[in-house]
Structure formats: structure tokens, C-alpha cells
Amino acid sequence: MTQEQVTVTILPVDYEIEYICRGNRVIVGPKVRKCLPNGTWTDISLQSSCCKEHFTPLRRHPSPSKKKLYIGALFPMSGGWPGSGLPASAQYAMDLLELIHYNSMCDPGEATKLLYDLLYTEPIKIVLMPGCSGVSTIVGEAARMWNLIVLSYGSSSPALSNRQRFPTFFRTHPSATLHNPTRVQLFQKWKWTRIATIQQTTEVFTSTLDDLEQRTKEAGIEISVRQSFLTDPAVAVKNLKRQDARIIVGLFYETEARKVFCEVFKEKLYGKKYVWFLIGWYADNWFKIHDPAINCTVENMTEAVEGHVTTEIVMLNPETIKGVSNLTSQEFLEELMSRLGGKNPEETGGFQEAPLAFDAVWAMALALNKTSERLKAKGRRLEDFNYNNHDITAEIYRALNTSSFEGVSGQVVFDAQGSRMAMTLIEQLQGGTYKKIGYYDSSQKNLSWFGNDIWIGAGPPADRTVVREEYRYLSQKLFAAVSVFAGLGILLGIVCLTFNIYNSNVRYIQNSQPYLNNMTAVGCMMALAAVFPLGIDGHHVHRSQFPVVCQFRLWLLGLGFSVAYGSMFTKIWWVHTLFTKKDEKNEKKKMQLLFIYPWKLYATAGVLLAVDFLSLMIWQIVDPLHVTIEKFTKEAPKEDLDVLIQPLLEHCSSDKINTWLGVVYGYKGLLLLLGIFLAYETKSVSTEKINDHRAVGMAIYNVAVLCLITAPVTMILSSQQDASFAFAALAVVFSAYITLVVLFVPKMRRLITRGEWQSEQQDTLKTGSSTNNNDEEKSRQLERENRELQKIIQEVSSPQPLILMVNGLNLHTVASSQPMYADTGGKVSKVSCPRTQRGALRSIKSH
């Protein structure tokens, strides 16, 4: 025996099924059934079938024997949402029902008083029909206490969809949240991701805005500004202007709308940069109506509202088919116009909602008709209704909940919260007239677009001020000019270096320590080469390659300074060390101080270079340079009001660059100040072994002054790329030029003017008649020198050391009894001479 498995699907409570007939047939019986908590369906005892003949459940002319039922209506004949055309529409829909209506002025306080009059004044009302949302909130919450059904034709507040607060509430006007899917769809169509809102402080608009905020968040759209006002929108509009709101959703009643747009005109918050989204149920000429509460003219208002977009529920069936009332939508409008007595629809408040009021009365009539049949089967009548009769109220509720018919506003059907489902109409004010530009079906997520939208500018505006990033680059003319000077400086350094190397055997060049001068020339060329990466920015290289440029800047400038300045500092340091000693007692040490060994000079320069190299290496390992972007205040170009320029500037930086610069600048600054001090101390010293130390001192003065001034100035001007580069680059160029010119040009001049181009070795190899021919003249010269030396020795009253220079031979003697020392180019040898001064002089002559 086999067992069959049966799959049971459990449907949720309020799940709906709808019957549809093919062809021209219509439904007879319930069209929609809902799942009930007890597991059955609504109207389960009634059969649904299709019929060819048109079924009219309510005849236009009732039998005179029927007792009338009374409807209590609170129409907003005036106030924030006037609807003077609604009573005519509602009265036109019924003859069996007696309509008793008051003017609620769309004021909850006034509505409360009128509700009291309706409830406590004969006859008994079987249904209440409020208009605007504020009044519906009061009536809907109170109605359950009197077992009354509430059916509204113009309430859009999302809060009214709460079945716990409003258990007997229905409405033929869809919830205002039905606008929000349409708005979000339009935001996405026009590629807007940032909007602003301004609302009147009432529950309907607050709850609508809460729903909009949730939907925009899900769509990735930001509500950047949210403003509200109670009666005066001036401050709220100013805040919108201040916070650069461009796409603005306005939620307020018609009278407040005029106040808002008067302020909009004053703040110039309209035009090609702005788009306003408003509610579509205002009168078509709402902005032209005279309002003593504002001080703007019709022309002002017309200018301010031009181009705004409205979203509104489709309130008039666009198809030419006859509904349950046996009228097409156009036939309904013609009949309504005749009942209004020729009033201009644009000046008749609530004219657009008239089809909703008409269908609301028909929904109520159909529900009462259905309820009457059910009560008749139970032996009861609608006329038996009183405020304590819950059963009749439950039957009316059940009938309304299952309503489904074709009305003049379209298909009328209520959801589980008692709200109407409908399509959304999208309109735009073009030339003072509303034009349909599309429809949106939120249930199908289908946008029907006509493509006739018109914009004041070239197209839909941007949702914010477009910020265009622009990098500030160095002036190419300035860069080219400084680069030319730097290039010429490098050529000058090459010439100086070549000259120094070529003439390194000339004694005058030898006595200037040519190897240190070579280091100075190389250092100047490295510093000059750093000018090129200093001027290279994003205009020349990609941002990803910019850190390499930063490294070139740092290493070329740092090591160039160390090599050039370090070699000059070494000279001045040793000159100061050797020739400013005043209290040496040991004669042998004094003799050693007179002779400078080259390795000592190179070691000193090497130490200074090593310190800089190690500090730069540690810097780059611990905190390497990278590119940072500095942002400046946004600038507004004159040619385009929708664009702001965001200036950006690239910098070479590191995480702790201020610390590193403090260490480097502190060390270099002390070195510069010490160099100035040593140059000043040795300005009067004369020595043949470093014969250009005065020129070195002059170069140190210039370099130190330029560096000490330029370093802080460039830090202050770091945000001004042209000025910063000009100061830094020109300081490098001038320092290098001054150093090369001061150190090398005098040497060139001397060698050229005196003809000292041959080396000392070449001079010693010269032989022949030229030497022999001059022997006699040299002899006479030596005799003259001997006589002069005798006078000098005789004038010496105490035994003091003397240094004598004869024909390039340095002689040192302390007294007549002391030996003489000869310096023959760095090597010291003792010279044996007689004990008497005259003998010593004759010995000199013999040498």
C-alpha cells in the first residue's frame, strides 16, 4: 500500500486573490478575497462569476420607500488644503445617501469640534468622510469608539496606514509614501546622489520624509540637508541656500508653498542650478493666487516656480472606459463642471481630488449595498445601525476591505492597511503650465517616460556644486629660466673642475689643496643638478613616479651641500687650528703645526659627508618620503556657476617630516654659523699651504647667509609653488655661482696673467744656456738678499725664531747657535751652518 504526500501551502493572513474575467465580461460577486485568521476566505458564502451584462449594484434613482443613510463629511473648504469642489463631486455620486458636511479648514482643532457636533447631533451618521490628513488622524483615532467606518478621499499621511491606531480607516487617496518610489526613480534617472528636503512640521510630511529617507538610503542617495518649519519658512530656505542644496524635495500644503517660494525668490534658490520636487495636488495656478501673507508679486512667484517637478497619484483614469458609475473620466469631468456652475477648475481647490471623492462615495455605496444584502440574510437592516452596533460596522468593514471596481480615477482596490494602490503621474511646470512627462508604476517598477522634460540649462543640473580638482603646477617659464642658469652653472663647474685637475701640478694650485677644490666643484654641480627635480611636478611625471623625484631632490641637494660646503669648511677649520695657536711651548710641536698632511683634510671632509649620508639613509629607512596633497580653499570660476575649483598641490613629505627637518636644519645651521665664525677668525691669517682660505671664507659668508635666509622662507612659502621654487632654486644657483667664481676665477686669472702654466717638475728639468746666462744675475741677487738678511738678524734683540724664504727655500732659526730647518715642499731637513750669523748667511748663499 503506497502513501501519497500532499504539499500544503500556508498563506499569510490578508493574502489576496483577485478574479479576472476575459473579454467584456464583468465580475458578479466578490472580485477579491482575503485570507482570514481562521483559515477561510472573505465572502466564502458568496459565489463569484462572470457576466456579460454590466452589473450596477446601486441604482442612480432609489425607491422612495427606502430610508436614507447619512454620511458625516468634513471637507477642507478653506485652509492649507482647500477643496471647495469636493462636495459637488461627492453629492453627485449618490442619491440614496444624505451628505452632511462641514468646513474643517484642514485644522485638527476645528475638526475636533465639528466631529463632536456630527456625533451628538441627529441623525446618526453611518460613515465619516474626512478630507486632509491632519483631520483624518483625529477622526480615525476617535471613530472606533463610536463603531464608525472612516473613508477619506484626500488623506495621504503614511501614519494612517497603521491598523493599530486606525482600525476602521480606509482611503481612496494613496499614501504619500507612494510618491517616494517615484522620486527615487527620478533621482536615479537623472544621476543624483545628493538631495535636500524642506517640510512643514506636520505628521503627514514627517512620516513621508522618514519613509523617503529610508528609501534613499537603500538606493545609495544621501539626504544632505533636512529643514523644517512651522509657519515661517524664511530661516529654513536660507539654510538650504547656505548648505548648497540643489535638488530639493518640498513637503507642505498649498498656502505654505506660496510662503516657501516667496522666500525662494528672495534667496535666488531657483534657476538652472536647482530642481524642486513638490506635491502634485495643488491647484494648477496655486502660485498665481493672491495671498496677503506674502509680499511677492505674481511675476516673482512665476519666475521662482518655473521648471519644478511634481509627483501625484493618478487621479483620473487615462483610459476612455466606463466604470461602475457608467461614466468615463471625461464624462465625469463634464458633469462636474456643470455642477460647479462654470467655475474655473484651476481656481477651484480640490478639483484634482474630485475623482477620488467621487470614487470614495461609490466605494462606500457598493460596500453598503453589499452589507445590506448580508444583513438581510440575517434578518437585519442598515437602518438599524447605531453607535453601539459593532456587528454592522464589521460587515461594512468587510465589504470595503474586499472592494474592487473600475472608477473614474482608475481601478479602486485597498491594501491590507486600507490604502489605495495606484500609479504615479509625473509633471513639470513648463512656461507656467503643468505638462505630463511620465508615469511610474511602483508595483511593476516601470517608468513610462515621454521625453518632453525641459530644463533651463543644457540639461538636468548637478546635485551639488561640481568640485573640479585642479593641481597647481610650477610656472614652466620660471622653471625653464632657472634650469638654464642651473645648466650654465653645471658647465661652469665642469670648466673649473677640468682646470683644477689639469693644473694640479702647478705649485700655486698645489698650495690651494686642489683635491678639496675638486670636491667643492663636484658638490656645486650636484646642488645645481638638484634644481631640476625641484621643478619637476605632476605636470611632468605621473603621481606614482613622484616619490622617485622626491628622493632625487633630497639626495642631490643634501649630498651636494655636504660635499661642497664640507670641503670649504675643512679648509677653514684647519687654517684656524694651525695658525691661531698662541701658547704652544714645545718647539717641535710648533714645527709640526706648520705642515698639513693631506689625509687629515680628506678625513675631515669625509666625516662631514658620512654624517649627512648616514642621517639621510636613516631618514629614508625609518620614514621614507612620499607624496602628500595639500588642499586649498575652493575657488569659483566666473564662467560657470555650477563648478568650484579645488586647487591641489603636491608635496614631498613624510609622516614626521617636521622632526627630520628640525634635526637636519639644526645641524646644518650650526655648521653654517661655525663656518662664519672660523672665516672671521682667520681673515688675517696668511699661509702658503692653503693659499685660498680667504676666498673660501668669502664663499662661506655668502653660502651661509643665503641658506639661513632661504630655509625658513621656503617653509613659509611652501603653499606657493612658484615663490617657494624661486627662493630655493635661486639660492642654490647663486650659492654655487659665487662659490665657483670666488674659488676658481682668481686662480685662472693668476695663471693666465703670470704664465704659471707649467708644473714645478717641468721647471726643474729646464737646462741649457738660459740658466747659464743668468748665473751672474742670480749671484748679484743673492748678494743683495744676504745684505738684507744681515740687517734683519742684527735688529733682533732677543732669541726669537725666524722664518726666512730664499729662492723658495724655507729656513727656520732660533739664534745664531741654533740649527736651521729647511722646508722643501712638505719634507723637513736639518741644515748645518756655522755658528755665526755671517757664516750662516754665507751658507745660505752657498745653497
Side-chain angles (χ1 to χ4, degrees), residues 380-446:
R380 304 183 65 181
R381 300 184 310 161
L382 276 174
E383 292 84 346
D384 299 334
F385 173 80
N386 58 58
Y387 297 145
N388 296 317
N389 196 323
H390 177 73
D391 294 338
I392 295 179
T393 301
E395 290 293 339
I396 299 173
Y397 177 91
R398 188 177 297 110
L400 270 176
N401 202 33
T402 57
S403 295
S404 178
F405 61 92
E406 192 74 29
V408 294
S409 63
Q411 183 70 24
V412 178
V413 62
F414 302 104
D415 62 15
Q417 288 74 38
S419 298
R420 168 86 176 273
M421 301 299 297
M423 293 181 63
T424 308
L425 169 66
I426 307 166
E427 293 184 315
Q428 185 184 39
L429 189 68
Q430 300 175 1
T433 304
Y434 285 103
K435 303 291 184 181
K436 296 178 182 178
I437 59 175
Y439 289 95
Y440 183 67
D441 186 352
S442 58
S443 61
Q444 302 295 327
K445 295 183 179 180
N446 179 39

Side-chain angles (χ1 to χ4, degrees), residues 21-57:
C21 293
R22 297 179 180 178
N24 295 324
R25 295 174 178 267
V26 295
I27 292 290
V28 177
K31 188 175 182 180
V32 177
R33 298 183 189 272
K34 290 189 180 183
C35 182
L36 300 176
N38 59 6
T40 62
W41 296 88
T42 56
D43 300 326
I44 195 65
S45 61
L46 300 178
Q47 182 179 359
S48 298
S49 60
C50 295
C51 177
K52 288 185 177 181
E53 296 182 358
H54 191 76
F55 175 70
T56 304

Side-chain angles (χ1 to χ4, degrees), residues 651-667:
H651 290 287
C652 292
S653 182
S654 61
D655 295 335
K656 298 181 179 180
I657 190 169
N658 292 331
T659 302
W660 293 107
L661 287 179
V663 173
V664 172
Y665 284 171
Y667 164 66

Side-chain angles (χ1 to χ4, degrees), residues 247-543:
I247 312 303
I248 308 168
V249 178
L251 301 175
F252 28 72
Y253 288 117
E254 180 178 321
T255 53
E256 279 69 26
R258 283 189 285 269
K259 296 178 183 178
V260 168
F261 274 88
C262 184
E263 297 299 327
V264 166
F265 176 81
K266 295 175 184 178
E267 296 296 330
K268 304 300 179 185
L269 202 63
Y270 64 93
K272 68 176 184 178
K273 295 196 303 181
Y274 304 95
V275 177
W276 282 82
F277 281 78
L278 300 182
I279 302 169
W281 38 255
Y282 302 159
D284 287 348
N285 68 335
W286 64 270
F287 52 91
K288 298 179 181 179
I289 297 174
H290 174 70
D291 191 341
I294 63 174
N295 56 355
C296 294
T297 64
V298 174
E299 291 74 17
N300 297 154
M301 296 292 291
T302 303
E303 182 180 351
V305 300
E306 180 63 27
H308 76 264
V309 177
T310 65
T311 54
E312 183 48 70
I313 307 305
V314 175
M315 299 182 185
L316 194 65
N317 196 339
E319 300 180 7
T320 56
I321 58 174
K322 292 187 177 183
V324 67
S325 62
N326 202 25
L327 293 173
T328 64
S329 56
Q330 293 301 318
E331 290 173 346
F332 164 75
L333 290 180
E334 293 173 0
E335 182 67 23
L336 180 61
M337 290 294 297
S338 65
R339 289 181 175 248
L340 289 174
K343 289 184 179 179
N344 186 355
E346 294 184 356
E347 298 178 358
T348 303
F351 184 83
Q352 294 184 354
E353 289 74 21
L356 300 180
F358 184 81
D359 285 342
V361 175
W362 269 99
M364 181 178 53
L366 293 173
L368 292 176
N369 189 48
K370 186 184 299 184
T371 302
S372 178
E373 294 176 0
R374 291 176 180 172
L375 292 176
K376 186 177 181 180
K378 299 178 181 180
R380 304 183 65 181
R381 300 184 310 161
L382 276 174
E383 292 84 346
D384 299 334
F385 173 80
N386 58 58
Y387 297 145
N388 296 317
N389 196 323
H390 177 73
D391 294 338
I392 295 179
T393 301
E395 290 293 339
I396 299 173
Y397 177 91
R398 188 177 297 110
L400 270 176
N401 202 33
T402 57
S403 295
S404 178
F405 61 92
E406 192 74 29
V408 294
S409 63
Q411 183 70 24
V412 178
V413 62
F414 302 104
D415 62 15
Q417 288 74 38
S419 298
R420 168 86 176 273
M421 301 299 297
M423 293 181 63
T424 308
L425 169 66
I426 307 166
E427 293 184 315
Q428 185 184 39
L429 189 68
Q430 300 175 1
T433 304
Y434 285 103
K435 303 291 184 181
K436 296 178 182 178
I437 59 175
Y439 289 95
Y440 183 67
D441 186 352
S442 58
S443 61
Q444 302 295 327
K445 295 183 179 180
N446 179 39
L447 178 64
S448 301
W449 197 249
F450 300 160
N452 60 338
D453 48 316
I454 298 176
W455 305 98
I456 299 174
D463 60 2
R464 69 197 76 190
T465 300
V466 177
V467 179
R468 188 172 66 231
E469 294 184 344
E470 286 189 2
Y471 283 89
R472 288 180 174 178
Y473 296 125
L474 179 66
S475 169
Q476 296 306 297
K477 293 182 180 179
L478 175 62
F479 180 47
V482 177
S483 297
V484 170
F485 281 105
L488 293 176
I490 293 174
L491 291 178
L492 177 60
I494 294 173
V495 171
C496 294
L497 183 62
T498 304
F499 163 80
N500 213 49
I501 294 174
Y502 180 76
N503 296 286
S504 60
N505 291 325
V506 176
R507 186 173 184 80
Y508 180 72
I509 301 299
Q510 286 180 342
N511 287 338
S512 67
Q513 300 301 324
Y515 294 106
L516 291 179
N517 289 339
N518 291 344
M519 290 179 64
T520 302
V522 172
C524 289
M525 287 189 289
M526 291 177 64
L528 288 168
V531 171
F532 298 104
L534 278 176
I536 294 177
D537 50 23
H539 184 75
H540 305 92
V541 297
H542 191 267
R543 185 179 175 186

